[in-house]
Amino acid sequence: MKYVLVTGGVVSGLGKGVTASSIGVLLKACGLHPYLNTDAGTMSPFEHGEVFVLDDGGEVDLDLGNYERFLDVTLTRDNNITTGKIYKSVLEKERRGDYLGKTVQVVPHITDAIKDWIESVAVIPVDGKEGPADVCVIELGGTVGDIESMPFIEALRQLSFSVGQDNFCLIHVSLIPVLGVVGEQKTKPTQHSVRELRALGLTPHLLASRSSQPLLETTKDKLSQFCHVPAGNILNIHDVPNIWHVPLLLRNQNAHNSILRQLNLLSIATPPDLRDWTKMAETYDNLTDSVRIALVGKYVGLTDSYLSVVKALLHACIACSLKPSIDWIAASDLEDDCAEMTPEVHARAWETLKNAACVLVPGGFGDRGVKGMILAAKYARQNKVPYLGICLGMQISVIEFARTVLGMERANSMEFDDSESSHHVVIFMPEGSTTHKGNTMRLGSRRTLLQTRDCITSKLYHNSEYVDERHRHRYEVNPEIIGILEEVGLKFVGKDESGKRMEILELPNHPFYVGVQFHPEFKSRPARPSPLFLGLILAGSGKLETYLNTHGNGS
């Protein structure tokens, strides 16, 4: 197995994950089979961004979402190595007596466990093909020097030594800032970062320098001299119009040749074929028309909280030859309380909502902003504005419909009001735990059976009898209320295999009013947009009926 290790220095948030993904794309374009290896279930969306859900129910950070989208592969929870997983596995071995009473230490027990994990998982294919991958790309989380990553750095140092220099390539991502009125590109932060890395026993073979503008030759020469990296191996990832340009940027600097040479793979690799990737990047750059999408959520202060939703909207818009124009609306700004406290903010939020071509309410937890989401769903329903509700967004639409159409003023979810006086149209899952937050949800890919082909969802999925989408929820629509809701017009067109869990709802006689219990954004890909996101954008741009007449027959 050949290993490519991607580390980061100076500051976090440099795009280490995008760099690792882009390297994977480049190696794949050279005819190789790359593999990526890097429990986030209760992380705060405000602090860390979204929790990305895998097919097997693994809850991981948003970088693995980038990997899946860039390389169009299906990863597993084992691709995400965390300190907690490693220490847990070592402690379990110690409790079983595997160490025969010896003192358990970071070295060698923790480091051995990390190496064993990497080497065992690296041979498992993730692209549906037979046999192990040619190259395993590892992203080391955090920044060099972080105390949390020290055991991993030591394990990777040992791994680099044991596999040999022809089987290990280290790429260090670092920042080249520009300071002062002179605008000089500063290399000192990178020099210090590389020195720290070398002191820990790892020497970079390539530098990926992040900067706002292309690197000057004098800057490259300085980096080469003081970081002991050949000038030809100094890569520059400067700011680009969209992240799909990053693999092209690396290709244009012959990054693949430098990596392949280090790994002794030049003889078996082919020139990189990135024609489709180039077309995709350039198509987006040349789009002029846009569609306004109101995204009504509770974590809009950190847009990474909805990263996969944003990417799915982007994929759908490009398929419609449109640029997404996302209007972020904090759900609480739509509420009456906001009108009293900050009337300008309230008025601006409503004006934004009313100017949007379509409305999306994504998933979330907790009762903050729920009133505003209900108002957004009501507005979209009554004014025939295309609406897509995901997870909580679906439950919101059920609550709103029950309150407004059925007259159940106290209709609610047990998540927000568990009093006996409420009509619980959304209930806690029977198998869930009310005391433990982590690992208690319905997670991963689950099958949804479509109840009829005479619905928008079925046509968008090309008349498929079922869909397999990823879930992440603790609450679900109360099956006891379904009959009453359907009598007055709301239709549940998708259910789980038991027939008791409601998965998809639609509102007939509406251009596009769809709620889904699952998260379709997690399986959206640049060349294969999520059918439901595509439907939302088509409806918002007035193209849905034409599309369904052309594609809704399974073609």
Side-chain angles (χ1 to χ4, degrees), residues 5-17 19-20 142-144 170-178 185-197 204 206-213 215 219 223 227 229 233-239:
L5 171 62
V6 180
T7 60
V10 184
V11 294
S12 59
L14 285 178
K16 193 163 70 271
T19 302
T143 306
V144 170
L170 197 164
I171 302 171
H172 188 58
V173 183
S174 188
L175 177 68
I176 304 296
V178 173
Q185 294 176 336
K186 296 292 185 180
T187 65
K188 192 66 73 176
T190 297
Q191 292 179 41
H192 285 304
S193 181
V194 170
R195 187 178 304 157
E196 175 86 9
L197 194 60
L206 290 88
L207 280 181
S209 306
R210 286 285 291 113
S211 61
S212 57
Q213 299 295 326
L215 284 188
T219 306
L223 286 169
C227 297
V229 174
N233 287 5
I234 307 286
L235 309 174
N236 179 212
I237 305 177
H238 55 76
D239 292 351

Side-chain angles (χ1 to χ4, degrees), residues 376-398:
K378 182 179 180 179
Y379 167 80
R381 181 180 62 80
Q382 293 183 334
N383 292 277
K384 306 282 188 186
V385 178
Y387 174 89
L388 176 60
I390 298 172
C391 197
L392 174 61
M394 172 191 176
Q395 297 167 8
I396 289 293
S397 62
V398 173

